[in-house]
Amino acid sequence: MKYDFVNPPSRKGSDCYKYDYVKGDLPMWVADMDFQTAPEIREALIKRVEHGIFGYSIVPEAWNAAYVSFYKDLFNWEINPKDLVFALGVVPILSSSVRALTKAGDNVVIMPPVYNIFYNSIINNKRNPLEVPLVEKEGRYYLDFGAIESAFSRPETSLCIFCNPGNPSARIWSKEEINVLASLARKHNVIVLSDEIHGPITRPGTPYVPFLNAKEDNKDVAFAAISPTKAFNLAGIHTAAMVCPNKEIREKVERQLNTDEVAEPNAFSCVAAISAFNEGREWLKQCNELLFSNRDYAFKFIKENLPSLRAYEGDATYLLWVDCSNVDKEEKRLLTYLEEKCGLVFNGGSHYGKGGEGHFRINLACPRAKLEEGLKRLKQGLEDYAL
Ligand SMILES: Cc1ncc(COP(=O)(O)O)c(C=O)c1O
């Protein structure tokens, strides 16, 4: 079956954050896709709706089994089903973990530019985000291990939230990089929470490396948050899992997830996850083919037609990170202009922390025709902006 990534229904007027919250008519910002999820998942959800009774739900064993089989088959990662804990989202896992594993005033290390909500999860809980910026070399980001080690060695540092693969850097971290990070965490008694929500969205043939699978003993110092919501466009369903082989950490975070009332599924959370992981694989494969051909198209277009911009290469996520510092050092004026004059909506880089200013993020998860239109408008917009 060839799935339809060409003519999705319009999201406008569906109380859609991406389309109905902004003025621009060509939104390419918030991280969800313009495509319908896989028909197999829609059918499973329709069946659940037709049952018609929406009382409280439990997490069935089939939920654990679906995660175990998907990650084993796609990433050769053997998850022990007992290590999985349901949560309503990855962000709830981040925030509950911050509360469970650190105390007010502690440092939580992050490596910007990085998913902006990491900051919220830390600052809203009165912890301190200790930024160790990624280092850029020739359009690719790297971890700064020297600076990470000094951040880890500070007595008030207890947790590191790592984005694997990187949003917005689109970077797949190698086994070696992950293992150096884990060894520094072990040396300095820091726990690493690896946010792997973007894990299944990678260039065909280039799988990401799950943190806990990079080396057997990483599981002593790390745990992960995973979910089908990015890869299968299910963010509004609210479903995720913590994978935590370390019993002491797992129990603490699970307790906190319960206290925070984010540990119980809604009527659709498990149905969606189970059908995505079991029946959505072919859809995901075809979707990744489209997403990475969009990425290559946009990268080439920018390189050849927009000399004032510089796009970063990447093998993960449907998010393209673009340096616009030659046009606007802070990016805000340029993005306001592009929205008001061209209808284009991108995410401003300053939201992603140190090193993000003078950049923006383009969401590539749309039909090719929309991407082409967006890039055409961007070219025209930049020409007019320069006048
Ligand atoms: C790195 C990362 N983590 C978490 C999330 C959101 O997770 P959830 O919707 O499950 O809370 C996003 C959404 O863009 C993300 O990019």
Side-chain angles (χ1 to χ4, degrees), residues 30-32 88-94 114-118 163-167 195-198 227 229-230 235-236 238-240 318-319 361:
V30 67
D32 61 22
L88 281 171
V90 166
V91 170
I93 294 171
L94 305 181
V114 77
Y115 179 48
N116 50 320
I117 307 299
F118 284 9
C163 198
N164 176 37
N167 165 18
D195 176 339
E196 304 188 352
I197 195 168
H198 292 279
S227 161
T229 53
K230 284 290 144 197
H238 295 284
T239 188
Y318 47 73
L319 307 162
R361 194 188 75 171

Side-chain angles (χ1 to χ4, degrees), residues 108-321:
V108 179
V109 173
I110 52 177
M111 295 82 158
V114 77
Y115 179 48
N116 50 320
I117 307 299
F118 284 9
Y119 288 87
N120 299 10
S121 294
I122 299 166
I123 293 168
N124 291 346
N125 288 301
K126 303 195 166 44
R127 277 62 165 173
N128 173 41
L130 186 53
E131 297 173 288
V132 182
L134 298 172
V135 183
E136 192 239 309
K137 277 181 224 146
E138 291 165 14
R140 231 171 122 75
Y141 280 112
Y142 294 86
L143 296 166
D144 183 346
F145 288 117
I148 290 172
E149 169 137 42
S150 61
F152 279 10
S153 66
R154 286 168 61 165
E156 341 68 275
T157 300
S158 42
L159 182 67
C160 165
I161 305 182
F162 183 55
C163 198
N164 176 37
N167 165 18
S169 67
R171 183 71 155 73
I172 294 187
W173 305 108
S174 69
K175 202 175 185 170
E176 292 69 31
E177 288 170 309
I178 288 171
N179 289 338
V180 174
L181 186 61
S183 70
L184 294 176
R186 185 171 305 104
K187 182 168 166 198
H188 295 287
N189 244 330
V190 172
I191 296 168
V192 178
L193 167 49
S194 184
D195 176 339
E196 304 188 352
I197 195 168
H198 292 279
I201 309 168
T202 56
R203 189 179 288 286
T206 315
Y208 94 109
V209 183
F211 201 107
L212 295 169
N213 204 30
K215 198 170 177 206
E216 178 60 21
D217 56 5
N218 288 358
K219 62 180 188 297
D220 303 335
V221 291
F223 64 112
I226 55 179
S227 161
T229 53
K230 284 290 144 197
F232 295 94
N233 206 24
L234 297 165
I237 298 272
H238 295 284
T239 188
M242 163 175 87
V243 194
C244 188
N246 180 311
K247 187 164 177 278
E248 199 187 325
I249 299 174
R250 186 173 68 245
E251 286 176 356
K252 276 190 193 162
V253 177
E254 189 170 8
R255 180 70 252 132
Q256 190 69 45
L257 289 165
N258 275 284
T259 305
D260 296 338
E261 308 295 356
V262 290
E264 278 172 26
N266 64 49
F268 306 107
S269 302
C270 295
V271 175
I274 293 167
S275 55
F277 288 144
N278 290 343
E279 298 166 70
R281 297 176 186 195
E282 180 54 30
W283 181 92
L284 175 65
K285 186 169 166 275
Q286 290 179 24
C287 187
N288 272 337
E289 280 163 14
L290 185 267
L291 296 176
F292 286 87
S293 92
N294 275 1
R295 177 179 285 282
D296 293 342
Y297 176 83
F299 184 85
K300 188 161 177 273
F301 184 95
I302 291 172
K303 202 172 172 143
E304 290 175 359
N305 298 284
L306 309 175
S308 57
L309 302 183
R310 195 169 53 95
Y312 288 65
E313 287 184 39
D315 294 316
T317 81
Y318 47 73
L319 307 162
L320 182 69
W321 187 239

